[in-house]
């Protein structure tokens, strides 16, 4: 079943920057898709369309639900968005409050909220971090809490913007392993090619607001001329596995 | 970057720390109210007020030297305002100085007002220091919210608590970038650079606010602020509050000036 259907999506920022120039993309339930492309190619803009934060021309359907005003609430609870900078995502005085924010807005009871928070923190292996303040966490921990803040709302789709940027190798490893273990449909915007290779079975190259290539990771991420043409490079892991 | 805690020592685990934040807010604010309403010549009352704060401080295990140092931070401001009062208040003259034809006189009633301002502001500050160093900031916010402070104000305070260090980091990074490019030159140029930095900081903060709002909306925020209710009053809290209030009333009513 198709969980995301994007048809002929175009978007222009108020200042006139044309960021998306006609995107067609369907994603199956349970799929992990990497959106790769150089800086400024429109990856973040595309993700922000998925839950209606930015609205362009064209149609988007999430689980057959057309993205329009009356479906926004429903769609926002289906699509969990993890932003690039955890300092944007974590705005509450404590980790608990941040993870509880989504469930509270969904109108769950106090008991349920508490349970959701506990489960979400367990899932990212930060049990007992509830009372901490975000500004006393390491960057890797902040990133994990960011993921917990959306896991607590039970999304069907995880939209992750540069999940490994600014992480040291060990924290990066943790995040990748964590994401691998999550069963939701994933759409990952990144230029960390090894991340794309490890996490996703499908890759979409976005360049200058257009989809330049779309296919299985073996087809796209091993095609060096294609990648180089779009300002990317071969993931070192893909060559390692060939040898 | 690593930062010290705004609410330093609030993570200790004493009897005072474990009290409900609402109880502490009410207690410490009642304390201030009583202090303010005490006549300045009621010397022994002030002694008793101080004794109470001292007792709470010892119970809380917050280092006394820290409390004292913190309390002196506001001293310059109070002094600046209060220092002239004794000279301008008319009344019985306590002493005076002559500078040629200019004569400065010190009056008793002026001195009393000076003392009044000094002791009351100091005791009030001590009380606020005790509140903030025995209550975690998030708990303080929860307490204030329960005491019906408007949610918008709570939200503003909580954003402040969360983002003050993010902002400080941003400023430090900008300063470092500036200094590593040999900041110097003419005064005019320096002022212009600092002006630009403030502008940039404003823009970045504005953009961050937009991104934070997007993150909130993405998680279902629709303008209504909902918070979980996890404060519980215990018998201990009521005992503490009653004792404090009784002590204050006793100090105010039965102590002979
Ligand atoms: N808020 C904005 N206003 C105007 N233009 C923007 C804004 N955000 C991004 N852009 C522009 O849109 C294009 C796509 O940006 P973005 O989606 O952030 O790319 P990516 O995430 O792939 O690096 C870029 O040319 C960028 O400069
Ligand atoms: Mg981006």
């Amino acid at each position: 079943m198709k969980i995301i259907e994007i048809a002929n999506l175009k978007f222009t920022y108020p200042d006139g920057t044309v960021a998306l120039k006609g995107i067609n993309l369907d994603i199956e339930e349970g799929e992990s898709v990497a959106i790769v492309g150089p800086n400024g190619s429109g990856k973040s803009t595309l993700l922000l369309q998925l839950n209606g934060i930015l609205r362009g021309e064209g149609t988007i359907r999430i689980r057959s639900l057309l993205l329009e005003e009356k479906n926004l609430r429903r769609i926002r609870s289906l699509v969990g968005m993890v932003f690039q900078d955890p300092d944007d995502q974590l705005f509450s005085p404590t980790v608990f409050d941040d993870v509880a924010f989504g469930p509270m807005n969904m109108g769950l009871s106090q008991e349920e909220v508490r349970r959701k928070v506990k489960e979400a923190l367990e899932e990212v292996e930060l049990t007992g971090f509830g009372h901490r303040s975000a500004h006393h966490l390491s960057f890797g921990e902040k990133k994990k809490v960011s993921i917990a803040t959306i896991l607590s709302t039970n999304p069907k789709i995880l939209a992750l913007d540069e999940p490994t940027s600014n992480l040291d190798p060990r924290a990066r490893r943790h995040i990748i392993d964590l994401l691998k273990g999550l069963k939701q449909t994933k759409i990952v915007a990144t230029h960390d090619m090894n991340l794309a290779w490890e996490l996703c079975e499908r890759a979409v190259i976005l360049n200058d607001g257009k989809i330049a290539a779309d296919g299985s990771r073996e087809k796209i991420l091993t095609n060096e001329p294609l990648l180089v043409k779009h300002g990317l490079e071969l993931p070192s892991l893909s060559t390692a596995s060939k040898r | 970057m690593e930062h010290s805690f705004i609410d330093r020592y609030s993570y200790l685990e004493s009897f005072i720390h474990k009290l409900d934040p609402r109880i502490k807010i009410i207690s410490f604010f009642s304390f201030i109210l009583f202090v303010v309403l005490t006549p300045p010549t009621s010397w022994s009352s002030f002694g008793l007020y101080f004794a109470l704060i001292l007792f709470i401080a010892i119970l809380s295990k917050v280092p006394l030297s820290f409390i004292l140092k913190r309390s002196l931070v506001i001293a310059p401001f109070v002094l600046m305002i209060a220092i002239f009062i004794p000279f301008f208040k008319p009344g019985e003259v306590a002493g005076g100085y002559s500078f040629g034809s200019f004569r400065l006189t010190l009056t008793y009633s002026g001195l009393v007002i000076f003392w009044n301002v000094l002791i009351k502001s100091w005791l009030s500050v001590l009380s606020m220091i005790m509140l903030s160093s025995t209550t975690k900031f998030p708990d303080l916010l929860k307490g204030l919210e329960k005491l019906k402070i408007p949610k918008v104000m709570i939200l503003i305070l909580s954003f402040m608590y969360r983002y003050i260090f993010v902002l400080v980091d941003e400023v430090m990074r900008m300063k470092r970038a500036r200094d590593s490019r040999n900041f110097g030159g003419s005064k005019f140029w320096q002022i212009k650079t600092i002006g630009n930095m403030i502008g940039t900081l404003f823009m970045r903060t504005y953009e961050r606010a937009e991104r934070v709002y997007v993150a909130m909306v993405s998680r279902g925020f629709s303008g209504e602020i909902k918070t979980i209710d996890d404060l519980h009053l215990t018998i201990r809290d009521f005992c503490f509050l009653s004792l404090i209030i009784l002590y204050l009333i006793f100090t105010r009513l039965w102590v002979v000036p």
Side-chain angles (χ1 to χ4, degrees):
Chain A
M1 196 189 96
K2 290 199 180 75
I3 193 164
I4 302 176
E5 298 159 81
I6 303 174
N8 203 17
L9 179 67
K10 294 182 183 135
F11 180 76
T12 309
Y13 276 102
D15 70 349
T17 312
V18 183
L20 300 176
K21 303 174 179 169
I23 303 281
N24 290 291
L25 183 65
D26 289 351
I27 293 175
E28 293 289 324
E29 177 132 36
E31 232 180 344
S32 289
V33 180
I35 310 286
V36 293
N39 282 331
S41 54
K43 303 184 294 294
S44 303
T45 310
L46 179 59
L47 289 194
L48 288 172
Q49 308 279 333
L50 292 180
N51 67 356
I53 295 291
L54 298 177
R55 304 279 290 278
E57 284 171 52
T59 57
I60 299 180
R61 283 174 194 277
I62 307 288
R63 276 194 152 185
S64 310
L65 223 60
L66 186 67
L67 197 143
E68 57 185 354
E69 204 58 40
K70 71 175 181 15
N71 293 334
L72 269 187
R73 277 195 87 80
R74 182 88 191 88
I75 284 178
R76 285 187 182 151
S77 69
L78 288 171
V79 183
M81 192 79 74
V82 181
F83 294 90
Q84 186 171 356
D85 185 351
D87 280 335
D88 296 340
Q89 183 116 17
L90 308 177
F91 45 77
S92 309
T94 65
V95 167
F96 180 94
D97 293 333
D98 262 322
V99 182
F101 187 82
M104 287 301 282
N105 284 326
M106 289 161 69
L108 301 184
S109 74
Q110 309 248 332
E111 297 321 305
E112 274 178 287
V113 171
R114 256 183 266 268
R115 192 169 50 81
K116 296 265 184 211
V117 172
K118 192 162 160 287
E119 285 170 2
L121 285 177
E122 262 166 25
E123 214 161 350
V124 300
E125 292 167 355
L126 290 179
T127 311
F129 271 59
H131 65 279
R132 304 266 289 262
S133 305
H135 64 262
H136 294 133
L137 299 179
S138 74
F139 194 85
E141 286 165 346
K142 281 189 198 174
K143 207 82 197 189
K144 283 188 182 180
V145 176
S146 298
I147 295 171
T149 63
I150 60 156
L151 291 182
S152 62
T153 61
N154 277 347
K156 294 286 172 282
I157 301 164
L158 303 181
L160 304 138
D161 198 356
E162 313 269 4
T164 53
S165 64
N166 294 328
L167 288 173
D168 64 36
R170 189 171 41 153
R172 179 177 172 278
R173 192 70 255 152
H174 276 163
I175 294 288
I176 294 180
D177 289 342
L178 173 68
L179 292 176
K180 268 185 176 170
L182 300 173
K183 60 205 172 308
Q184 290 90 336
T185 307
K186 275 167 264 174
I187 172 160
V188 187
T190 186
H191 44 225
D192 176 345
M193 300 306 286
N194 281 327
L195 167 75
W197 178 263
E198 260 195 88
L199 198 60
C200 304
E201 65 264 9
R202 178 174 163 201
V204 173
I205 299 182
L206 197 65
N207 198 0
D208 192 26
K210 291 187 292 264
I211 291 184
D214 180 353
S216 70
R217 70 166 194 179
E218 282 77 13
K219 192 176 135 219
I220 305 286
L221 299 181
T222 54
N223 186 343
E224 190 159 17
L226 178 72
L227 292 171
V228 169
K229 185 172 157 226
H230 296 291
L232 299 162
E233 59 177 17
L234 213 54
S236 55
L237 288 175
S238 71
T239 48
S241 69
K242 245 193 278 178
R243 257 177 241 137
Chain B
M1 271 177 252
E2 267 306 307
H3 292 292
S4 67
F5 294 69
I6 293 185
D7 39 4
R8 225 172 133 201
Y9 295 113
S10 67
Y11 292 80
L12 298 178
E13 300 221 329
S14 74
F15 167 74
I16 304 288
H17 286 79
K18 283 182 189 143
L19 290 169
D20 188 284
R22 282 169 290 183
I23 295 296
K24 278 185 275 188
I25 294 168
I26 296 174
S27 303
F28 286 110
F29 276 97
S30 317
F31 179 88
I32 292 180
L33 193 69
F34 274 85
V35 165
V36 169
L37 293 178
T38 304
T41 48
S42 179
W43 316 106
S44 47
S45 297
F46 291 110
L48 286 177
Y49 290 138
F50 181 72
L52 177 62
I53 280 286
L54 191 66
F55 181 66
I56 294 176
I58 291 169
L59 265 187
S60 74
K61 304 196 185 108
V62 179
L64 292 179
S65 59
F66 165 80
I67 299 171
L68 209 63
K69 254 187 247 155
R70 270 267 161 116
S71 75
L72 291 182
V73 170
I74 58 112
F77 301 101
V78 176
L79 274 180
M80 226 156 53
I81 295 164
I83 195 78
F84 298 107
I85 297 170
F87 298 101
F88 294 129
K89 177 88 183 155
E92 194 188 333
V93 174
Y97 309 92
S98 304
F99 307 100
S101 62
F102 185 68
R103 201 173 146 68
L104 213 51
T105 51
L106 207 59
T107 61
Y108 281 115
S109 55
L111 278 177
V112 166
I113 293 181
F114 179 62
W115 149 261
N116 186 38
V117 172
L118 222 55
I119 187 73
K120 286 182 180 175
S121 60
W122 189 59
L123 284 171
S124 306
V125 167
L126 281 180
S127 152
M128 284 299 97
I129 293 171
M130 283 320 299
L131 175 61
S132 64
S133 47
T134 59
T135 318
K136 291 175 202 130
F137 200 83
D139 290 344
L140 202 59
L141 292 178
K142 283 251 163 68
L144 288 170
E145 188 187 332
K146 283 272 133 182
L147 293 171
K148 300 278 179 274
I149 303 288
K151 284 199 172 174
V152 182
M153 298 212 355
I154 306 284
L155 201 63
I156 291 173
L157 284 173
S158 87
F159 280 134
M160 183 206 80
Y161 176 70
R162 173 65 185 89
Y163 284 107
I164 184 109
F165 291 124
V166 176
L167 258 178
V168 169
D169 276 353
E170 218 133 340
V171 172
M172 296 306 277
R173 275 200 302 271
M174 275 161 62
K175 228 172 86 84
R176 212 175 301 147
R178 179 195 72 181
D179 292 342
S180 55
R181 278 175 289 172
N182 279 326
F183 182 53
S186 72
K187 263 268 148 354
F188 175 73
W189 170 245
Q190 291 188 12
I191 289 170
K192 198 168 159 231
T193 310
I194 290 171
N196 286 342
M197 280 171 67
I198 293 172
T200 309
L201 188 67
F202 178 80
M203 279 310 296
R204 285 192 192 172
T205 310
Y206 184 83
E207 283 168 6
R208 171 156 333 259
E210 274 191 336
R211 293 197 307 269
V212 170
Y213 180 70
V214 164
M216 293 173 79
V217 169
S218 294
R219 279 188 274 153
F221 181 68
S222 55
E224 193 191 345
I225 304 144
K226 298 173 183 161
T227 42
I228 210 157
D229 174 18
D230 54 1
L231 297 180
H232 306 286
L233 291 173
T234 62
I235 200 83
R236 209 171 44 180
D237 294 311
F238 287 112
C239 290
F240 179 80
L241 184 62
S242 339
L243 280 177
I244 295 282
I245 300 290
L246 279 177
Y247 185 97
L248 290 172
I249 292 175
F250 169 79
T251 306
R252 183 70 192 80
L253 295 184
W254 280 284
V255 170
V256 217

